[in-house]
Amino acid sequence: MLYRRTTIALLLAAVFLVIVGCSSGTTTTTAGETTTTGGAPETTTSSVPDLSGQTMEVAAVWSGAEQANFQKVIDAFQEQTGVQITFTSTGDQIATILGTRIQGGSPPDVAILPQPGLMYSLADQGVLQPLADVVGMEMDTNYAPVWKDLGTHNDTLYGLVFKAANKSTFWYNASVFSDAGVTPPTTWEELLAAADTIQRFGVAPFSVAGADGWTLTDWFENVYLRTAGGEKYDQLTTLEIPWTDPSVTTALDELAKIWGSDAMLSGGATGALQTDFPTSVVNAFASPPKAAMVYEGDFVAGVIGAETQATLGTEADFFDFPSINGSPASVVGGGDMAVLMKDSEAGKAFMKFLATPEAATIWAALGGFSSPNKNVDPSVYPDDITRRAATALANAEVVRFDMSDLEPPAFGGTPGKGEWKLLQDFLGNSSDVSGIQTQLQEAAAAAASGN
């Protein structure tokens, strides 16, 4: 399989415009027109069409709180247009489900993909509709160029990033930290020392969602970016260097300091491998807590708010993924990308809606969401937590997009296969670093060649 070499570095200036925004104004919607006043440039969406009697389907990985929040975006579009939308939650099997639907001749009108690599693959198969004539103008008005570049493959625009994420945040139970006498660390060494103190205090330091392989790739990517740097991160993404490279050894050795110790993990390695992402968050903020902290992206805030009793900003807070050996402030970013799979009037209209500040503002106000739309007023975010996560992304000296999302889905984005499965194996047994590197290289090479 050929896939586009992507070395997306979300540079400081671009990301500042995108995530934090330059607006302090307000957004109003009248008769299908959205106008932002104040510091941001004025934006106007296309007139809302009357789609009464039409139906369409949107498929995405979201479930639980994320699905409920996205449903409010869908509800607003349905109310304005009269179209009836069916939402299909695919879970992590989105690549497999879409492949089956495509073969059966019944793809959804719109799919929202968690991996740009999956978009590149679908574009190569010729099953995506070009978007330049659909949302090109809206993207030029509302998005910084880096996001349009990310949605472009072979010089054709196919994807619209609707939801962005800072995937370099550690969420912690403030009471456990206080009672154990530790403070949020800024370095990897301080993190390990704090974890040792916490486990001796009687609480497992980390809740790890090992049942969901994508969380483990995020762990690896953050450690690798800090130990190897941005250039090697880009090279490993595109297999210019192999997974047997010494830089990978270094990162896996660091991960093993946490993953390889049952005392560090809630439930030990066996329990971690049975823990899904939502449960990993609940574990850290349960009463009594089963862990002191959980690593994942800024969307953890949405799970805390929806599924725990912890108050964001007081009982639940976050610190940036720590520096390793003096590495500069670094962030792994992620995003969910909408693609058009049917040449339908309703699907095109929905894509246009997703490109507006109005659509993004609906979810942004609910929390657990960062918009790449630069004309979303930052004041709509419901709490300081979300704004801080966005600011961390903006201020990072080194930013890279989620590596596994840029890789061929067979390696970087499929449950039970490739990187997801092999890092689960490594979580279960972190003693054989060289062995897991060899397996990662073989799986990555096979996926890159289409085998």
Side-chain angles (χ1 to χ4, degrees), residues 233-255:
Y233 185 101
D234 296 337
Q235 293 171 347
L236 183 62
T237 302
T238 55
L239 282 184
E240 290 181 53
I241 59 173
W243 281 81
T244 52
D245 190 82
S247 63
V248 178
T249 308
T250 298
L252 291 174
D253 282 341
E254 292 299 328
L255 270 178

Side-chain angles (χ1 to χ4, degrees), residues 58-343:
V58 179
V61 300
W62 299 321
S63 60
E66 289 184 304
Q67 180 179 340
N69 289 343
F70 184 60
Q71 185 62 49
K72 290 181 171 58
V73 178
I74 290 175
D75 291 343
F77 180 73
Q78 291 182 137
E79 183 177 351
Q80 291 182 24
T81 63
V83 70
Q84 292 297 311
I85 296 179
T86 298
F87 178 81
T88 298
S89 176
T90 65
D92 291 337
Q93 299 285 352
I94 189 166
T96 301
I97 290 173
L98 289 180
T100 301
R101 295 281 301 273
I102 291 166
Q103 289 181 354
S106 62
D109 295 78
V110 171
I112 302 180
L113 312 176
Q115 300 123 0
L118 178 55
M119 185 202 77
Y120 307 149
S121 175
L122 294 174
D124 286 337
Q125 296 173 42
V127 297
L128 300 183
Q129 300 293 318
L131 294 180
D133 294 336
V134 179
V135 297
M137 182 173 65
E138 287 79 4
M139 290 195 70
D140 288 340
T141 301
N142 296 324
Y143 287 76
V146 64
W147 298 101
K148 194 170 184 179
D149 291 344
L150 188 63
T152 298
H153 182 59
N154 291 336
D155 298 321
T156 301
L157 178 65
Y158 290 108
L160 166 72
V161 179
F162 178 65
K163 184 177 186 288
N166 174 350
K167 302 185 81 172
S168 297
T169 51
F170 259 102
W171 296 80
Y172 68 98
N173 186 310
S175 294
V176 174
F177 268 47
S178 177
D179 292 345
V182 300
T183 57
T186 59
T187 69
W188 188 250
E189 292 76 15
E190 291 174 356
L191 176 68
L192 295 176
D196 181 64
T197 299
I198 290 167
Q199 63 92 10
R200 285 189 284 107
F201 175 71
V203 178
F206 302 99
S207 179
V208 175
D212 289 326
W214 60 269
T215 69
L216 304 184
T217 67
D218 290 349
W219 268 93
F220 170 80
E221 289 154 7
N222 273 278
V223 172
Y224 188 77
L225 182 60
R226 286 157 180 77
T227 55
E231 183 176 353
K232 281 192 175 295
Y233 185 101
D234 296 337
Q235 293 171 347
L236 183 62
T237 302
T238 55
L239 282 184
E240 290 181 53
I241 59 173
W243 281 81
T244 52
D245 190 82
S247 63
V248 178
T249 308
T250 298
L252 291 174
D253 282 341
E254 292 299 328
L255 270 178
K257 293 177 182 178
I258 294 175
W259 291 7
S261 170
D262 276 353
M264 288 284 189
L265 307 175
S266 177
T270 300
L273 287 168
Q274 298 172 354
T275 302
D276 62 17
F277 166 61
T279 303
S280 74
V281 177
V282 172
N283 283 347
F285 302 100
S287 182
K290 298 180 180 179
M293 52 188 142
V294 57
Y295 157 71
E296 248 312 326
D298 55 13
F299 42 83
V300 166
V303 182
I304 294 172
E307 301 190 28
T308 80
Q309 298 300 312
T311 302
L312 286 165
T314 55
E315 298 163 302
D317 209 335
F318 79 89
F319 55 88
D320 297 333
F321 202 102
S323 169
I324 303 179
N325 296 327
S327 61
S330 306
V331 169
V332 174
D336 294 279
M337 182 177 294
V339 296
L340 185 64
M341 303 194 73
K342 285 184 179 179
D343 186 13

Side-chain angles (χ1 to χ4, degrees), residues 346-360:
K348 291 177 180 178
F350 189 67
M351 292 293 296
K352 280 182 176 289
F353 181 66
L354 292 182
T356 66
E358 176 191 357

